[in-house]
Structures are given as structure tokens and as C-alpha cells.
């Protein structure tokens, strides 16, 4: 057996560095955090070779005296906490006192720094953690730190770095996170000769615009909720957008970008039934809470956090995000692409005005409309949805803008036995009849589980079904739920099941196949976000709904629309596909050269 020996400082520091400095991105992150902690109002970052050969971070923060600058590179040297108690209440991004020490151990570092009280700046150079020059230089109040040739003395680490585009992407993502979390600080990122990011705006929303482009951020849903000891706010991407962009997920805790599976899941689950399985929504969520209710000292990178009361935070995030989504206008708009004349879907830009929210149709029988109180408040009095019953009744309610159109009919029209088309004050609404009916049945069926109503219609001629063992197990497992939904089933000898009642809202003619179809779909649906009950409802809704190709009478269409707008989430079917699409008059006017 080898003898135990204490590792040299040099090896020990390289080992320690491994935990904090994994790649150029980690260096950028630690330096930026230090600049923010130093009270900088502007932070400029420059990288070469994705940061592998050169990273410079310049700030206009407090700067350091010579004494501090020298100390800063010692292990566990920090100005941010003193006692263990302080750790409970850290308000700064850093506190471990190991970043500069670790970075210096595996690179060549140059520092220029000056406090407001001094005339000349300190110049410091270190190589592999060893100081090889201290002198004076010129620099404005603040600090510049240059890190060259990362991992020059640890070849194994160097080889672990990925190709430049990958490493750069990490650097960029990290910087954009700080730019979003700290809109009061200006950020620029230069890579080689190119300025890649210039974050100047002073609001979170503005920062999102600068990073993702206004076309995208226009579609975001803003939200804000206050709870005891907890404030949650942020922006959510509309479900419709996740179809085309893999959404990014930002979670900030007291302005610190963090990763926390439970919280992410809470937000993600708010999109339940709104997006397809495998789609990732965009969200940026800010949590503010007393620092002592959370532990940020879980890992050297400080990315992971532990909450004292994770469950209530989970609940708060879930309810805040869900209600924001449900309240917002999730109807996608069709824009007509100018070049091709084809319809392309894009996210609605109506978000700032709030959404289409149902009001009771019965209150004004002659003027059936759906209107959001927030909109009615005057933003756009014409932004309302009308389903006039007849020419005359619509004429009396139509505003100036709609004279030509609403007089022209205002009726509901079924297109190719597949879509319901209806006029709305801002243009045209297209409803997918199957998706709409699916949504209606889905919600109604889910509700049944909480009500003790009579949901079964007895069959005159009970149907017996022969099931294989696997299907039999599913029926046995789901029997109580199937009963609540309205299916009346009796287990018979061996593999036979007798169906003698079906849900009241099932269209006649489908009784004999519906159960086997449900079992089939139930087996295939492996969406883990859904409970078995929700899965059952989803498959039942899909099977029981009218199909594309089914002819609908005007009354049926009207009733479907009525029910749809009473649903909690009328905008998407349980599979996450859109139910409604708007074609704005404006787009048509553009197309026809009217404006
Ligand atoms: P920590 O940030 O955890 O305190 P670091 O190793 O990152 O540890 O930094 C050590 C110390 O160096 C900090 O506590 C701070 O006092 C000082 N420091 C580092 N960077 C800057 C900077 N850009 N401006 C002013 N002081 C800095
Ligand atoms: Mg630090």
C-alpha cells in the first residue's frame, strides 16, 4: 500500500478548480457575478475562440485596493460573508471565495482594478495561480479581469472542451441569463470582431426583446402573483409557439439563475393539455423570497437550490402560471405571408390586450357574443366575438367598422364538414369541429369525477366484449373511473365483459366500438404528465367527439360554440392542437391591397 501524503498546493488547487471551472462559460459566469456583486452598472465581456484562449470582463463597479486584489486570489477569500450565519442570508451572487482562486489555478490571469478613492489602478498578473507581477497601471474605477489560455496546464481538461460553436453557445446563454435577471445593468458581449449582444433596455421585457426578438416576445403572456413570503412573476410562451421553437426555460430565484426540477415541473405542468408531449414551452419565471428560506450552497456552481418548503412553492408556481395561461388569449392567428399568399400560422399579437373570455350567452339572446371585460374597458371596443343569430339581430349590434360584413350575413358556416367558420369583429374565426368537441367532452368528463350525477344511459341490448388478458387488466384497473364517466360494465366469466350502459353524451351508434377504442388508445398513450383519469378522459373525448367529415346543423354548431366558450381552456384540444384560429381582417385588407 502506498503511503498517505498531503497533496501539493498546486495539485490541490487544480482539483478544486475542477469543481468551479468546467469550461469557458464557468469563467464568464463567475467573473460576471463578481462584477454584479461589485455594484457594476455596465459589464462588457469579450471572448476569443469561444473563450478558450481569451475572456475579458470589464466592469464599472467598486474596484479593489491593492491589498484586496492580492487577497482575492487566495482560497476562501471573500468580502461577502464573515460568519456562518451570514450564509443563511446571502444577498450576493458569490460567497464561497473560490472562483478567482480556481480560475487562476488553471489559466493566465491579468487584473486591472481601481477604487474611486485611488488615482492609479493596480495591475496584477498570475500564471497557474502564482503571482508574477504587481504594478500600477491606468484604469477607470472598476475592474477588468482577463483570463487567457484556459486549462493550459491541465491538458485533460483542455481536451474535454467542445468545439467553439458549442462552447460559445454556453457562454452566450449564460450571459443572456444575467442580462434578463439584471435589466438595470448594461451588458455587451463581443466575440472576435463581432458584437453579439447589446443589452441596453432597462426592463425584463425589453431584455427578452433584445435577446429573442420582438416578434417572439410579442406573444408572451406576462403574469405576477403575490403570496405570503413569496412573489412570483414572469413571462410564459404561448403553447402555440412551442410547436416551432424549442422553448427555453429560465428560472430566477432572487435574481440568481437556478435549476430546480420541481419548480420547472410546476411551470411545465401548467401547460398540461396545452402542448404536445415532448414539446417544451418557453418561460422566464422570477421568484422572490427571503434568502433564509432557501439554500443556495448545495453545489460549488451555485446553480442548484434547495427550498425549505418546496411543496408550497410548487403549488404557488403552478397556480400562478396556470391561471395566467388560462386567462390569456391563446387563439393563434393566421397571417397571410406576403410572398407566397399562403396561410402561415403565427402567434397572436393580441396578448397585451388579454384574451377572449366567455360571458354568458343567455344574457343577451339577440346578441350572442364573447367578450373580455378587460377589452371592453375601451382598448378596442370592436374586439369582440359575435355569433349573430340572424341578419336583423346582428345589424342592430354591429359597430361602424362591421357594417358591410355583418350585414352580409354573420351566419355560421361549416366548411367541408370539418371546420366551423364564423365572423368576429376583427375578422374571421375558424374552429376545428373535432378538436372543439374533444375539448368540451374532455372537460365535462373530468368534471364528472367530482359530481355524483347519473351519467349513464342504459343500453337496450347489452354488448358483450371479448378481451385479451392485457385489455382485461386495463378494464379492471380503470373500472371505477369508467363507471363515474358513465360506462356500466359487468365482468363476466373468463375474458368476457358486458357493457350495458354508456355515458349520456355519447352519440348513438358508437356504443359497440367505443370501449375497445378507448382501451387501445389508453394503452398507446404514454404521456407521463397525465393521471390515469386524465388519460381516460382524453381518449374518451377523442373517440366520442364529432369527427372531421361529420355534417353539423346550425343548431349543433351553435351549441358546440356555446359549450366551447364555457370550457376552461377553449383554445386547444386535449392533445395540444389548436381549436381556434383567427384570420384578422387586417391581414385580408393587406392581401387585397386595401392598406
Ligand atoms: P466570492 O465572489 O465568492 O467572494 P471570488 O473568488 O469570486 O469569491 O472573489 C473574491 C473576492 O474578490 C470577492 O469577494 C470580492 O471582494 C473581490 N472581487 C472579485 N471580483 C471583483 C470585481 N470585479 N470587483 C470588485 N471586487 C471583486
Ligand atoms: Mg465570485
Amino acid at each position: 500500500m502506498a503511503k498517505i501524503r498531503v497533496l501539493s498546493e498546486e495539485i490541490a488547487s487544480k482539483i478544486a478548480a475542477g469543481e468551479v471551472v468546467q469550461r469557458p462559460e464557468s469563467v464568464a459566469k463567475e467573473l460576471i457575478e463578481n462584477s454584479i456583486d461589485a455594484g457594476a452598472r455596465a459589464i462588457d465581456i469579450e471572448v476569443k475562440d469561444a473563450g478558450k484562449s481569451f475572456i475579458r470582463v470589464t466592469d464599472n463597479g467598486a474596484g479593489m485596493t491593492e491589498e484586496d486584489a492580492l487577497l482575492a486570489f487566495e482560497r476562501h477569500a471573500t468580502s461577502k460573508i464573515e460568519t456562518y450565519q451570514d450564509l443563511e442570508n446571502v444577498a450576493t451572487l458569490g460567497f464561497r471565495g473560490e472562483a478567482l482562486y480556481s480560475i487562476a489555478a488553471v489559466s493566465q490571469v491579468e487584473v486591472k482594478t481601481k477604487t474611486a478613492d485611488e488615482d492609479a489602478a493596480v495591475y496584477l498578473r498570475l500564471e497557474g495561480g502564482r503571482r508574477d507581477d504587481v504594478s500600477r497601471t491606468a484604469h477607470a474605477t472598476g475592474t477588468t479581469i482577463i483570463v487567457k489560455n484556459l486549462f493550459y496546464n491541465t491538458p485533460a481538461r483542455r481536451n474535454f472542451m467542445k468545439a467553439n460553436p458549442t462552447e460559445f453557445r454556453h457562454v452566450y446563454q449564460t450571459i443572456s441569463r444575467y442580462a434578463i435577471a439584471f435589466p438595470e445593468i448594461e451588458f455587451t458581449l463581443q466575440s472576435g470582431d463581432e458584437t453579439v449582444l447589446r443589452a441596453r433596455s432597462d426592463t425584463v421585457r425589453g431584455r427578452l426583446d433584445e435577446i429573442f426578438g420582438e416578434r417572439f416576445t410579442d406573444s408572451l403572456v406576462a403574469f405576477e402573483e403575490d403570496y405570503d413570503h413569496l412573489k412570483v412573476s414572469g413571462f410564459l410562451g404561448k403553447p402555440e409557439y412551442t410547436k416551432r421553437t424549442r422553448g427555453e426555460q429560465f428560472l430566477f430565484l432572487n435574481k440568481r439563475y437556478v435549476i430546480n426540477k420541481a419548480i420547472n415541473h410546476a411551470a411545465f405542468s401548467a401547460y398540461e393539455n396545452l402542448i404536445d408531449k415532448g414539446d417544451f414551452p418557453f418561460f422566464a419565471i422570477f421568484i422572490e423570497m427571503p434568502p433564509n428560506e432557501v439554500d443556495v450552497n448545495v453545489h460549488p456552481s451555485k446553480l442548484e437550490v434547495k427550498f425549505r418548503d418546496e411543496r408550497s412553492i410548487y403549488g404557488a408556481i403552478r397556480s400562478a402560471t396556470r391561471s395566467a395561461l388560462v386567462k390569456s388569449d391563446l387563439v393563434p392567428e393566421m397571417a397571410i405571408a406576403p410572398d407566397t399568399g399562403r396561410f402561415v400560422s403565427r402567434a397572436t399579437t393580441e396578448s397585451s390586450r388579454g384574451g377572449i373570455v366567455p360571458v354568458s350567452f343567455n344574457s343577451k339572446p339577440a346578441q350572442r357574443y364573447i367578450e373580455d371585460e378587460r377589452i371592453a374597458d375601451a382598448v378596442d371596443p370592436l374586439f369582440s366575438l359575435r355569433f349573430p343569430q340572424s341578419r336583423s339581430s346582428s345589424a342592430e349590434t354591429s359597430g361602424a367598422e362591421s357594417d358591410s360584413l355583418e350585414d352580409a350575413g354573420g351566419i355560421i358556416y361549416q366548411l367541408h364538414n370539418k371546420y366551423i367558420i364564423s365572423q368576429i369583429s376583427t375578422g374571421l374565426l375558424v374552429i376545428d369541429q373535432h378538436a372543439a368537441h374533444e375539448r368540451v367532452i374532455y372537460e365535462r368528463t373530468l368534471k364528472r369525477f367530482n359530481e355524483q350525477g347519473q351519467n349513464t344511459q342504459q343500453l337496450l341490448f347489452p354488448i358483450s366484449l371479448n378481451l385479451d388478458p392485457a385489455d382485461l387488466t386495463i378494464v379492471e384497473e380503470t373500472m371505477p373511473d369508467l363507471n363515474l364517466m358513465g360506462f356500466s360494465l359487468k365482468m363476466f366469466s373468463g375474458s368476457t365483459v358486458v357493457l350495458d350502459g354508456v355515458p349520456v353524451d355519447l352519440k348513438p351508434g358508437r356504443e359497440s366500438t367505443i370501449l375497445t377504442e378507448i382501451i387501445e388508445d389508453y394503452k398507446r398513450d404514454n404521456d407521463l404528465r397525465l393521471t390515469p383519469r386524465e388519460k381516460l378522459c382524453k381518449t374518451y373525448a377523442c373517440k366520442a367527439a364529432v369527427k372531421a367529415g361529420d355534417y353539423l346543423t346550425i343548431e349543433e354548431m351553435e351549441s358546440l360554440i356555446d359549450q366551447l366558450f364555457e370550457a376552461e381552456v377553449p383554445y386547444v384540444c386535449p392533445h395540444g392542437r389548436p381549436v381556434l384560429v383567427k384570420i384578422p381582417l387586417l391581414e385580408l385588407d393587406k392581401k387585397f391591397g386595401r392598406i
Side-chain angles (χ1 to χ4, degrees):
M1 257 255 271
K3 219 165 136 308
I4 295 179
R5 66 197 130 224
V6 175
L7 295 175
S8 74
E9 175 64 20
E10 197 192 329
I11 299 177
S13 68
K14 284 182 186 170
I15 293 175
E19 294 217 294
V20 180
V21 190
Q22 267 123 31
R23 54 196 338 167
E25 175 264 337
S26 347
V27 175
K29 169 181 185 291
E30 294 296 339
L31 296 183
I32 291 170
E33 289 195 350
N34 282 344
S35 297
I36 295 172
D37 285 344
R41 310 308 297 172
I43 302 174
D44 294 316
I45 303 116
E46 182 188 351
V47 298
K48 290 176 186 158
D49 297 323
K52 290 175 184 171
S53 66
F54 183 95
I55 301 176
R56 173 180 63 82
V57 175
T58 297
D59 68 53
N60 59 0
M64 286 177 272
T65 61
E66 180 174 331
E67 191 190 357
D68 279 354
L70 291 173
L71 262 180
F73 288 89
E74 301 285 322
R75 188 161 200 199
H76 308 307
T78 179
S79 56
K80 299 168 193 174
I81 57 171
E82 247 182 84
T83 64
Y84 187 72
Q85 269 70 40
D86 291 347
L87 198 52
E88 288 248 296
N89 287 299
V90 246
T92 50
L93 294 167
F95 54 83
R96 296 175 61 102
E98 11 175 59
L100 291 184
Y101 167 83
S102 306
I103 292 167
V106 291
S107 67
Q108 295 151 345
V109 175
E110 275 176 75
V111 183
K112 291 175 190 172
T113 182
K114 188 181 93 65
T115 62
D117 298 338
E118 282 174 57
D119 298 326
V122 183
Y123 175 82
L124 198 64
R125 201 173 62 205
L126 299 97
E127 176 146 353
R130 237 169 294 205
R131 193 159 64 230
D132 66 5
D133 189 11
V134 188
S135 55
R136 291 277 156 176
T137 185
H139 192 278
T141 298
T143 304
T144 290
I145 297 188
I146 295 173
V147 175
K148 287 186 190 158
N149 304 319
L150 186 61
F151 302 134
Y152 81 102
N153 55 354
T154 49
R157 286 250 142 204
R158 193 167 61 234
N159 294 335
F160 264 110
M161 284 193 282
K162 299 269 166 23
N164 286 3
T166 308
E167 293 298 346
F168 183 73
R169 188 163 43 81
H170 285 285
V171 171
Y172 179 81
Q173 280 176 340
T174 289
I175 294 170
S176 48
R177 285 168 196 161
Y178 289 102
I180 294 168
F182 294 90
E184 66 279 15
I185 303 175
E186 288 188 5
F187 287 85
T188 59
L189 168 62
Q190 198 177 328
S191 170
D193 299 331
E194 203 189 332
T195 302
V196 197
L197 177 72
R198 200 187 292 276
R200 291 285 155 83
S201 160
D202 58 2
T203 59
V204 172
R205 169 129 225 163
R207 288 289 159 99
L208 293 172
D209 285 349
E210 285 167 332
I211 293 162
F212 296 101
E214 279 176 48
R215 231 168 107 61
F216 171 68
T217 52
D218 266 351
S219 72
L220 294 178
V221 178
F223 72 101
E224 191 176 327
E225 294 289 343
D226 269 304
Y227 304 90
D228 287 351
H229 288 270
L230 182 70
K231 191 178 151 192
V232 205
S233 61
F235 296 92
L236 306 169
K238 292 204 172 169
E240 123 104 352
Y241 233 97
T242 67
K243 302 269 182 288
R244 274 154 292 131
T245 10
R246 192 197 149 100
E248 290 198 54
Q249 278 126 34
F250 299 94
L251 190 61
F252 298 97
L253 173 76
N254 295 337
K255 297 194 136 218
R256 182 194 298 278
Y257 174 84
V258 295
I259 295 169
N260 180 284
K261 278 213 181 101
I263 304 301
N264 252 47
H265 184 271
F268 194 55
S269 73
Y271 286 86
E272 200 161 49
N273 293 320
L274 295 177
I275 57 175
D276 270 339
K277 190 162 71 78
D279 281 347
F280 291 89
F282 171 96
F283 55 75
I285 297 173
F286 296 81
I287 306 174
E288 283 165 58
M289 60 190 298
N292 61 2
E293 288 186 16
V294 48
D295 183 4
V296 287
N297 191 26
V298 182
H299 188 266
S301 69
K302 298 163 288 178
L303 271 174
E304 284 167 50
V305 287
K306 275 210 179 87
F307 295 98
R308 196 165 281 174
D309 183 4
E310 191 165 270
R311 280 185 55 173
S312 66
I313 295 176
Y314 183 97
I317 306 278
R318 201 197 128 102
S319 91
T321 48
R322 179 76 181 178
S323 70
L325 281 175
V326 166
K327 267 189 281 181
S328 67
D329 175 5
L330 299 179
V331 186
E333 259 179 29
M334 292 274 230
I336 305 166
D339 44 350
T340 60
R342 293 218 318 269
F343 285 107
V344 292
S345 175
R346 75 172 153 78
T348 173
T349 53
E350 224 74 71
S351 59
S352 52
R353 294 199 204 147
I356 301 175
V357 167
V359 296
S360 165
F361 284 160
N362 307 329
S363 54
K364 292 180 192 168
Q367 175 203 345
R368 326 178 70 231
Y369 64 95
I370 300 157
E371 205 169 72
D372 185 327
E373 316 84 317
R374 285 165 297 176
I375 301 163
D377 276 353
V379 192
D380 178 2
L382 295 170
F383 185 76
S384 65
L385 205 50
R386 295 199 189 91
F387 298 104
Q389 281 178 320
S390 68
R391 254 165 177 276
S392 55
S393 64
S394 71
E396 68 197 52
T397 61
S398 58
E401 176 234 39
S402 42
D403 49 358
S404 54
L405 270 168
E406 293 206 339
D407 283 350
I411 48 160
I412 304 174
Y413 180 77
Q414 191 187 22
L415 185 72
H416 292 285
N417 290 348
K418 202 191 229 174
Y419 297 109
I420 302 170
I421 303 223
S422 179
Q423 170 181 306
I424 55 174
S425 63
T426 52
L428 202 65
L429 189 70
V430 186
I431 301 170
D432 180 320
Q433 65 184 41
H434 171 67
H437 200 201
E438 244 183 326
R439 166 53 68 182
V440 167
I441 297 180
Y442 175 74
E443 289 195 12
R444 191 198 296 151
T445 313
L446 262 186
K447 272 201 203 102
R448 275 196 195 145
F449 290 119
N450 307 319
E451 293 161 2
Q452 308 292 338
Q454 178 52 263
N455 301 317
T456 305
Q457 50 180 338
Q458 291 300 315
L459 292 177
L460 214 45
F461 304 105
I463 300 158
S464 71
L465 301 162
N466 256 322
L467 300 177
D468 67 32
D471 291 358
L472 209 57
T473 323
I474 293 180
V475 171
E476 274 164 4
E477 271 172 19
T478 54
M479 184 80 98
D481 284 344
L482 286 171
N483 286 339
L484 285 171
M485 286 166 72
F487 286 101
S488 167
L489 283 162
K490 306 242 157 28
M491 298 307 260
F492 234 63
S493 60
S495 55
T496 308
V497 173
V498 173
L499 178 68
D500 59 11
V502 292
V504 275
D505 54 3
L506 187 69
K507 245 189 152 187
R510 314 229 46 223
E511 298 88 351
S512 58
T513 49
I514 187 115
L515 194 65
T516 40
E517 284 177 2
I518 288 178
I519 297 167
E520 209 40 53
D521 268 28
Y522 184 86
K523 272 195 296 196
R524 249 179 303 164
D525 189 344
N526 46 7
D527 188 339
L528 294 174
R529 291 169 303 166
L530 299 182
T531 62
R533 227 170 227 198
E534 289 168 330
K535 244 165 81 171
L536 269 185
C537 290
K538 186 171 138 190
T539 49
Y540 171 66
C542 182
K543 295 303 162 196
V546 295
K547 302 269 170 301
D550 289 350
Y551 169 76
L552 299 179
T553 64
I554 297 283
E555 288 72 33
E556 285 172 327
M557 288 192 273
E558 281 182 344
S559 142
L560 178 57
I561 290 168
D562 279 3
Q563 295 175 49
L564 178 65
F565 283 99
E566 272 157 27
E568 189 204 12
V569 189
Y571 318 102
V572 279
C573 81
H575 299 92
R577 286 191 296 271
V579 169
L580 309 153
V581 162
K582 252 187 284 188
I583 300 176
L585 211 49
L586 209 67
E587 290 292 339
L588 292 174
D589 287 347
K590 270 191 220 152
K591 196 65 207 163
F592 287 103
R594 286 180 170 276
I595 47 169

